[in-house]
Amino acid sequence: MTQTHSPQQRVDAWLGSFSAALATGDVAAAADLFAPESYWRDLVSFTWNITTVEGRAGVADLLTHTLEGTRPSGFATTAEATESDGVTEAWITFETAAGRGTGHLRLTEEGAWTLLTTLRELKGHEEPQGERRPQGVAHTLTKGRKSWREEREEEAAALGKDRPPYVLVIGGGQGGIALGARLRQLGVPSLVVDRHDRPGDQWRKRYKSLCLHDPVWYDHLPYLPFPRNWPVFSPKDKIADWLEMYTRVMEVPFWSRTAVRSATWKDGRWSVTVDRDGESVELTPTQLVFATGMSGKPNLPSLPGADGFRGEQHHSSQHPGPEAYAGKRAVVIGSNNSAFDICGALWEHDADVTMVQRSSTHIVKSASLMDIGLGDLYSERAVANGVTTDKADMVFASLPYRIMHKFQIPLYQQMAERDADFYARLEKAGFEHDWGADGSGLFMKYLRRGSGYYIDVGAADLVADGRVKLVHGQADHLTEDAVVLDDGTELPADLVVYATGYGSMNGWVADIVDQETADRVGKVWGLGSDTPKDPGPWEGEQRNMWKPTRVQNLWFHGGNLHQSRHYSLYLALQLKARYEGLDTPVYRLAEVHHTR
Amino acid sequence: MTQTHSPQQRVDAWLGSFSAALATGDVAAAADLFAPESYWRDLVSFTWNITTVEGRAGVADLLTHTLEGTRPSGFATTAEATESDGVTEAWITFETAAGRGTGHLRLTEEGAWTLLTTLRELKGHEEPQGERRPQGVAHTLTKGRKSWREEREEEAAALGKDRPPYVLVIGGGQGGIALGARLRQLGVPSLVVDRHDRPGDQWRKRYKSLCLHDPVWYDHLPYLPFPRNWPVFSPKDKIADWLEMYTRVMEVPFWSRTAVRSATWKDGRWSVTVDRDGESVELTPTQLVFATGMSGKPNLPSLPGADGFRGEQHHSSQHPGPEAYAGKRAVVIGSNNSAFDICGALWEHDADVTMVQRSSTHIVKSASLMDIGLGDLYSERAVANGVTTDKADMVFASLPYRIMHKFQIPLYQQMAERDADFYARLEKAGFEHDWGADGSGLFMKYLRRGSGYYIDVGAADLVADGRVKLVHGQADHLTEDAVVLDDGTELPADLVVYATGYGSMNGWVADIVDQETADRVGKVWGLGSDTPKDPGPWEGEQRNMWKPTRVQNLWFHGGNLHQSRHYSLYLALQLKARYEGLDTPVYRLAEVHHTR
C-alpha cells in the first residue's frame, strides 16, 4: 500500500486485506487496517444501529460484537477511486447475511481514516421498483378479480380495524410522509396519523411569507424528485401541495384530522388511543414512531402578567401572518429564523416591530450559504457534476460528526469574508452575532441544538438599518399593554410573538405515553458536543434519531427534508427487519445522559 | 465519404458539406447530399410545420422556401456516430435564427437516407428549468410583496376576466394537461377547460377494470416522470390521481366542470362561450386548441327500434362497469379494445356475454407487444441501455411514416410466430383476425385509423374458448328485448353496449364552431395510407395534429400518452412563437382531402 500505486490499487489492496481479515474472523488484523485516528460510521448494516466507532479499539469492539452475525462479504468499488491532498477516496459495495450495502472509504498513509457502511436493502425484501415494479393488472381474467381502486378501498377500510398497522407513525409532516412512503414500498403495514385537515397543512397553516430556507436540491423526497422547474426555495403552500399529492400518489396510508390521545405498552404491543375526526379509535401497533417534528413542540414561556395582557399573544408556530397587524405595535421575542421571518412580514405589512434579542444569534446570508455551504453537494452545479441527491447524501453521511466541524469552519470563514460589510452593519446596529461555539456555523448548530441561527432571506437588513427596532434582554413580565424586560425597559405592544423555539421531542412522549417513559428514552437530538444547549458527553450520533432507543419499539424520525429523505431509509429497513422477524441484535445502544 | 472512414468521420464530413451548402444558399448542393430515396422530417424547426419531404426534389423545395428565414447553423453531433447494416446514425444539434434544435441523421453510401430536425426551444424564451428555475421568493423585503399563494390566487381570479387566456385548450385529459403544463412553463397565458368534476375524471369515470394498455415507460408526462415503483400498466384510478396531482403541482390553469358551448372567430380572436359550473362565461382567446380526444367523439349508430328497447343501451365510453349486470344478457357490438375490455369485465361479473364482430380485428398479446414491439425503446431493458424517454421519442420520430410499416412488419411476424397457438385457437373459435392491411400490425393501425385492434390483456381467451359467445354480422335493428343482426339472428339482450368507436375530431369543431369550419379544417388523424378508414392521398404526417390547420388559429392536440408528451412540445413552441409575435411562415400547409 505504498503511494507508488494508483488510488484504485491502494483501495483494492485495502479492501482485499479487510475482506480477508473479516472472512477469517481476525478482528485485530481488520482493526490494524485503520489509522490510529479513524472513524467507522455504520448505518444499520453491521450494527442494527446508527453508530460511529473511533480508532482501532473502536473498530475492534464493533467487529467483536457484530462480525459473526453480519457475515460481510463482496467488498468492491463501484467507481474508480480518486485521490486528493493525500486522501484516497472510494465508493464501495458489499453484502451482509441480511442485506446489501454501500459505503465510502477514505484512506491515508496510515490506513483507513473514515469508513461509512450503510444498509441499502434486505435480501429477499427488495423494493418493487424498476424490473421489480408491479404489473398493475393481471392479464388473466378471473371471476371476482378486484380493481386497483377496490383493493385500495378495502385496504383503507380494514386499516386500524380488521388489520392493525404494524407501525404507527405519529405526525404527517415531511418526515412521517417520507417514512410512510418507504414502509409502503417495503410492504410493512403502516399508518401515518396527523391532526391537520390534510397533508401539507403543517406548512400551509404557517405565516404566509414562509418559504423553505433550504434549496430544492436538498429537499427531494424519496422516489419522486421535484421536477426541474421547481423553485429553489419552495413557498410554503407549494411544498404543502407537493406533500399532499405525494401522499396520494405514493399511496401512503394516512389519516388526517387524527390526534393521538395516549399510548401505553402492554403485552408486546402499543395500545394507542386516537381521536379520528371526533371518533375515538384504538390502535395496536407493534412499533411506534414519533415524527412529530424536531421543531414541533413549542417552548412557551409563562410570563407573569400574561393573563392580563389585553393584546394578542402567541407562539411563533401559531402566528397567523401579518395581515391583521398593520399599524399595530408588535414585539417579537427571539432572534432566530422564525423571529426574523415574522418581523420581516410584519414590517412589510406596516406594523411597528420590535425584536427582543435574548442571546447571540448566528446569521448567514442565504446566497452565501447556498454557494459556499451547500454548493458542492446540493446545487445545479453539483447536478451538472454528476452529484446526484443520493450521492450527495452519502458524501454528507461519510463525514463523522466528531470531525465535521473541521470541514465546516473554513466555509464559514469564507462567508464571513464575503459578507464582511453585512456583518459590520449588523454589529453597528447592536446585533449580537456569533459563528457557533467553535466557529463552525449554521449546520453544526442545527445538528447540535437545532436553533440559534437565521438564514438571512432579507430581514436582517431591517434590523441592521433600524426599520425593525432591536432591544436586548429577557422578557420579565407583561403589563396590560406592554412587555417589560428584566432591565425595566417597557415595550408597548398590541401583539407579542414568542419566537422562543421548541423543546426536545421526548416531550411528546411525556404527553402521549408518560413522563417515566420520556425520561427513560431521554433527550432527542444533539450530538453531545458540550456546546450551548448540547451538553456532553459525546454521543457520536444524533441522540435517539432513526435508531433504537432505550424504550422498546419506540422510535423518533424527523429533521429537515434532507434528513427525512435519507434517514427514513435506515429507519424503514430497521422496522422492516423487525416486521419480518429477522434477528436484529443492536450494537452499542446509546446511553441516556439527559432527559430534556 | 468512403466507407474506409469511421462512422463519426462520415457524419462529420456530411454535416460539414451540408452546413457549407446551407451557409452559401446552395440548395442544389444540399439536396444532392441526400440519397435518391430519402426523407427529411421536420418538426417546426425549418418549416413552422410538422412535415416530411421526400427525395432530393423534396429537400430542394423545402430549402428553397425556408432557408432564408431559418438561417440554420452550428450542425454538430452530440454523441459518437454508430454504424450497423450499412447505415450510419448520428444524433445532432443545430441552431436556427429563432431557436435551438436537435435531430437525427441516417447515412447510407448514397447520402442522407433520413434526416430529422426538431425545434427544442426558442432563443430568448427558454424554459425556467435547472439553472433558470425560479427562486421561489425574493430575498429583499418590500412592502406589499405578495406570497406565491396570493399570486396564484390573483392569477386564478383574473384569468378569463381581466386577463383573457391567449390559448384556450378544450379538454383536460392527458393531452390538454400536458400541453397546459408546457404553455405554463413557456409563459403563455393559457386555460384548460374540462367538463368533468376534476382532472383525471376522463379515466376515473370509465369502467372499473380499465387499465392503460401502454406500459409505464411509454406514458411519462413532460417534466415529471413516474417514480420507479409505478405499475407497468396504470390502473385507471391511479393514472387519474396522477393527472390530478400533476395538474396541481405543475400549476396548469384548469377549469373543471366547464363545458364549451360555442366558439366563433371574429376580429382576430375567438369568442368562446363556456358554461362554468352553471355560469355562462365569455372567453376571447387568440388560439383555440381542441384536445378533446382522438377517441373522444363517440360513433353511436342509430338503430331502428332502439327507442323501444326495454333494456339498457349505451356507447362503450358511457359504460359504467359490470356490477349491475350479473346474470343479465349483454350484447356488445364491436370487437376492438373497448369491446374486449367490457366483455371481459362483464364475464368476470357473471353476465351472459355475446360479442358481435362486425369486421376483422387485429389482436396482439400484451406481453408480446411489450417485448417485441416496444422493448427496445420503452422498457426497463431500454432504460438500462441508456434509452431515456426523450431519446426513445426521438428515435421513434426519426422514422418517416412512409417507410415505418417496413420496420413494423417483421416485428409482427415475430409475434405471429411466438403466439401461433393463440392465433390458431382464435381462428378455430371463428374469430376474424387480421394483421393490418399490409401486415404492419397495431401501431400502424393506430396511426392510420386509430382503431381495429385489441391489445390482449386476457379477454381474447374468453372468446377463444367460448366463455364469451361470438357472432358475426351487422346489427340491423333492436326489438323490445333483443338485437337483430342483418342475417336475422336474434340476440336476446338486457344490455346493449355499442363499442362502435369514435369519429374524427373535426366533428367537435362542427359541434362547437360550425359545420363549414369543420369541413374547412377537414379530417383529423390518419396518414392517407389508402388502407381501410385512412383514404389517400398520402399526407406524410398525421392529418391536422399538432400543426397549423386550414383554419386560422385552430389546432388539434391529442393521442396516447407518448404523443401527448412528445408532440405537446412542438405545439407549445408554435403557440409560444405566435404569442411572442415571431415570424412563423408555414411551409406546405396540408391540403384537405376529406372532411370526416
Side-chain angles (χ1 to χ4, degrees), chain B residues 263 270 290 297 504-519 521 524 551 554 556:
Chain B
W270 291 97
F290 283 79
K297 193 158 174 54
S504 165
M505 274 207 283
N506 66 330
W508 295 107
V509 178
D511 291 353
I512 288 174
V513 188
D514 55 36
Q515 188 63 50
E516 183 273 325
T517 306
D519 290 347
V521 78
V524 179
V551 173
L554 187 154
F556 294 90

Side-chain angles (χ1 to χ4, degrees), chain A residues 150 208 238 244 248 251, chain B residues 150 208 244 248 251:
Chain A
E150 286 169 325
K208 75 167 188 179
K238 193 162 173 67
E244 186 177 1
R248 176 114 146 260
E251 302 178 21
Chain B
E150 287 169 324
K208 76 168 188 177
E244 186 177 4
R248 176 116 148 259
E251 301 178 24

